[in-house]
Amino acid sequence: MDIAVINPNSSAAMTARIAQSISRYKAPATHLRVLRVETAPISIQGHFDEAACLPGLLDAVTQQERLGVDGIVVACFDDPGVGACREIATGPVIGICEAAVVFAKTVAANFSIVTTLPRSVPIVEELVVKYGAERQCRQVRAADIPVISLEEDPDRARKAVRSEIEKAIAQDRCEAIILGCAGMSDLAEELTRTCGRPVIDGCVAGLKMIEGIVGAGIVTSKAGAFDYPIGRELVGSGAGRGCVPA
């Protein structure tokens, strides 16, 4: 099966890190395409950045659909434009926040989420409610680091994330942790070993969910909300402008 993991920001370093982190988890028969949206902001930190990334993201999804991709992961924890992507795509589309929440609810009675900046907290809290997990989510926390610091100052960023996880375990008494940024993808294994809790990376969760759905032969329903857009030929050029591989 062919699966596209699309990072809707333009960071080459983050996209490469996502590709490296998730590649070892893919099924042997999976052909993985990890892409970034070159025309998007360098990081997605709030509502404006979400809106700014959407034209390039939708164009990338249109391109991948025309190339015959079987499923798509939107690799940003704000899950930007997932509904619109589902209208374009025939195969399943998942955002990494939704995937991570499903995984956490499956392996733990409760969880906390550690994201980057405080401004992201209310966005993630809204998604938690949307995905029906407000009772299981103990708290959404911010490590108070810009997304770009995960690339530019990784040691400081790791310490900040670890510190916030330790607070979540001590204060929230949570049974699992979700990493609330695709740029944290490479931290999950180490933190799981050292924190004594499952630490869930939404990029891996998204990949495995899409592999399972595609493997079961299930596609996106076109019976209502996710039907193809009216005037679909006008949605994106399909040329993948600014969409480049890791």
Side-chain angles (χ1 to χ4, degrees), residues 1 70 90-92 210-220:
M1 68 181 73
D70 296 303
T90 302
I210 291 296
E211 283 184 333
I213 295 169
V214 171
I218 299 171
V219 297
T220 298

Side-chain angles (χ1 to χ4, degrees), residues 5-129:
V5 177
I6 304 175
N7 172 16
N9 74 36
S10 59
S11 170
M14 181 184 294
T15 307
R17 188 161 62 250
I18 292 168
Q20 183 177 17
S21 298
I22 68 175
S23 291
R24 60 182 174 273
Y25 290 101
K26 75 178 184 68
T30 296
H31 175 248
L32 198 58
R33 312 171 191 173
V34 184
L35 309 167
R36 62 187 173 95
V37 178
E38 196 171 32
T39 57
I42 192 70
S43 61
I44 297 175
Q45 301 180 128
H47 297 290
F48 182 89
D49 290 338
E50 283 186 38
C53 83
L54 290 180
L57 172 61
L58 297 181
D59 198 50
V61 172
T62 300
Q63 177 203 37
Q64 294 304 307
E65 174 73 1
R66 291 177 179 173
L67 291 173
V69 73
D70 296 303
I72 293 171
V73 179
V74 178
C76 171
F77 204 78
D78 291 358
D79 287 0
V82 168
C85 294
R86 286 172 176 162
E87 291 186 23
I88 297 170
T90 302
V93 179
I94 192 75
I96 63 171
C97 178
E98 184 172 11
V101 166
V102 170
F103 270 45
K105 289 172 66 176
T106 303
V107 302
N110 56 70
F111 59 88
S112 289
I113 300 172
V114 175
T115 187
T116 50
L117 291 172
R119 68 181 300 159
S120 296
V121 169
I123 295 173
V124 175
E125 287 175 337
E126 288 183 7
L127 290 174
V128 167
V129 173

